Amino acid sequence: MPTPAPRSRHWQWLLILPATAPLLTPLANRIEPTLMGVPFFFWYQFACAVLAIVVITGVYLATRSLESSDSPSSFGDDRD
């Protein structure tokens, strides 16, 4: 069986976004605009967490190896 072509690692550059977004506190250090009564700083931090979840999941799915998805799982396998 031929080995699969290596996937591009350029996707990992996207990890800079969730790493730097929370560090922009001088830009987010304000109260207005509010979202449902919550000051900007708090919902910005929450949005950064959601952004991190989305980006990290996307990068993982784009860069995981094909071997891990093709190999059978031994979890729950009672064939000994």
Side-chain angles (χ1 to χ4, degrees):
M1 175 194 284
T3 59
R7 292 189 179 209
S8 175
R9 299 292 182 206
H10 297 292
W11 288 99
Q12 293 175 351
W13 284 102
L14 286 175
L15 296 174
I16 291 173
L17 292 174
T20 57
L23 298 176
L24 300 175
T25 53
L27 300 176
N29 190 13
R30 55 188 168 157
I31 296 174
E32 296 294 327
T34 59
L35 180 66
M36 295 186 295
V38 178
F40 176 76
F41 179 78
F42 293 111
W43 63 263
Y44 175 75
Q45 294 297 317
F46 181 74
C48 287
V50 172
L51 173 72
I53 292 169
V54 170
V55 170
I56 292 171
T57 301
V59 170
Y60 169 74
L61 293 175
T63 59
R64 67 181 174 173
S65 68
L66 292 173
E67 292 177 17
S68 65
S69 63
D70 291 342
S71 65
S73 173
S74 62
F75 182 73
D77 192 7
D78 292 334
R79 292 181 270 160
D80 283 18

